[in-house]
Amino acid sequence: MTGVTRSAALPLVALACIGCAHGLHQRSFRHAAYARTDSADPLVRKRVVIGRSVLGRPITAVELGDPDERRSSLVVGVIHGDEPAGRAVVRRLERGPLPRAATLWIIEELNPDGLARHTRQNAHRVDLNRNFPRRWQPLGRPGDQQYSGPRPLSEPESRAASRLILALRPRITVWFHQPLAVTDISGGDARIERRFAALSGLPPRRLTRYPGSAASWENHRLPGSTAFVVELPRGRPPASALERYARAVRQVAA
Ligand SMILES: [Zn+2]
C-alpha cells in the first residue's frame, strides 16, 4: 500500500504535513528535517500532525520505516506532562536506524500542554490516561490527580491518539510513564512485555489496571495486539539507559 493510498484509507486521521499547507499527506512530501536522501530507498522519516491539544498545540507523530509495510507499532513518549523522560527515549529512536520489516510510529508528546505546564493532566485538568473508553468511570473533579473527564474521549488529545490507533491498528504499542522503573504486564501478550523487560532492564510487574486507561482500551479494542506501560525511572535517563530503552523498543517492535 502506498503512502497516498494509506492516507486515503484513513479518513479519520488528518495526516496533515507540518511543513506545508496541504491537507492530506502526500507521499511526495519532503520535510526538510525528514527528507529521504536516496529516492530509490523506500524508507521514510515522516512527521505529520494528528491533532491539536486543548490550547491548540500541534500533536505530531513521526513515521519511521517503509510506509508500504502493513505491520506497524506505536510508541507514545509522554501522556502525563510531569513524566517527560519518554520523550528523550523516542527522540533517540527517531535518530536511530530505520526499521525495514515494520513501520514504527512515534507520538513524542500526546500531552503538550501538560508538558509545558509540568502537570500530569491536560489543560482541561483531565488525566488523559483515565479518559479512554474501556471501563471509563467518572473519577474525581477537574485537577484531581485522576480526574477522568466528563465522558470517554472528551479530550482532543485522547481523541487524536484513538483515531491514529484505530487507523494503524498497531501490533505493539508502548506507553511511557515515570517513575516506577518497571515494565507493566498490562494485559496484552505477556511474552512481549517480558521480552521488553529483559531487554530494557526494567523488571516486569503487574500494576493496577485503572478504568479508562489507554493500554487497557487498546488491548480490548484490538484483540491480538499488545499495548503496555513502561514506567521509566525518576529523572532524565543517562545516555546509556536511553540507548538501552530505544534498542528494546526497536527489538520488540520489529
Ligand atoms: Zn503516568
Side-chain angles (χ1 to χ4, degrees):
M1 192 180 355
T2 69
V4 171
T5 307
R6 170 180 288 226
S7 294
L10 305 178
L12 294 176
V13 182
L15 290 176
C17 296
I18 266 184
C20 68
H22 308 312
L24 283 183
H25 165 75
Q26 295 295 316
R27 195 175 183 186
S28 59
F29 170 67
R30 300 285 196 277
H31 186 279
Y34 289 85
R36 279 183 278 168
T37 52
D38 174 4
S39 60
D41 186 345
L43 303 182
V44 298
R45 294 179 202 267
K46 190 172 63 192
R47 184 179 289 263
V48 298
V49 175
I50 61 165
R52 298 252 165 201
S53 69
V54 169
L55 298 180
R57 290 186 169 94
I59 298 169
T60 62
V62 176
E63 182 181 12
L64 303 178
D66 185 346
D68 291 349
E69 183 57 61
R70 283 173 174 269
R71 272 166 47 112
S72 65
S73 295
L74 172 67
V75 188
V76 181
V78 180
I79 180 171
H80 288 146
D82 58 352
E83 301 170 5
R87 187 171 52 164
V89 178
V90 298
R91 286 187 173 170
R92 176 70 61 121
L93 265 173
E94 288 172 23
R95 292 197 299 270
L98 291 168
R100 290 190 171 269
T103 307
L104 181 60
W105 283 79
I106 292 169
I107 301 175
E108 291 179 356
E109 307 160 8
L110 183 61
N111 184 6
D113 298 343
L115 197 62
R117 298 167 163 210
H118 309 290
T119 60
R120 172 184 176 93
Q121 300 92 342
N122 74 347
H124 284 153
R125 302 194 287 170
V126 173
D127 180 346
L128 297 174
N129 205 32
R130 303 289 179 271
N131 192 235
F132 284 79
R134 175 66 175 161
R135 295 198 169 130
W136 180 90
Q137 293 176 14
L139 297 173
R141 298 176 176 184
D144 284 354
Q145 198 191 27
Q146 297 192 31
Y147 174 49
S148 58
R151 61 190 174 279
L153 298 180
S154 59
E155 304 309 300
E157 296 90 349
S158 42
R159 287 198 298 273
S162 68
R163 283 195 305 262
L164 183 69
I165 287 164
L166 292 179
L168 293 177
R169 306 181 77 82
R171 191 176 63 90
I172 290 171
T173 303
V174 178
W175 294 85
F176 280 117
H177 290 257
Q178 282 180 282
L180 300 179
V182 299
T183 301
D184 181 29
I185 304 302
S186 303
D189 185 339
R191 290 168 300 183
I192 293 170
E193 295 160 332
R194 290 183 183 281
R195 181 160 178 246
F196 182 90
L199 290 165
S200 67
L202 299 168
R205 291 283 183 280
R206 165 83 192 262
L207 302 175
T208 304
R209 288 181 193 160
Y210 290 100
S213 81
S216 291
W217 170 73
E218 272 197 80
N219 283 324
H220 176 75
R221 186 70 177 72
L222 302 176
S225 73
T226 296
F228 61 102
V229 165
V230 173
E231 284 268 353
L232 297 168
R234 192 178 302 281
R236 184 184 165 85
S240 58
L242 287 179
E243 185 54 39
R244 190 168 68 249
Y245 303 146
R247 203 181 311 132
V249 171
R250 254 182 238 119
Q251 291 190 27
V252 299

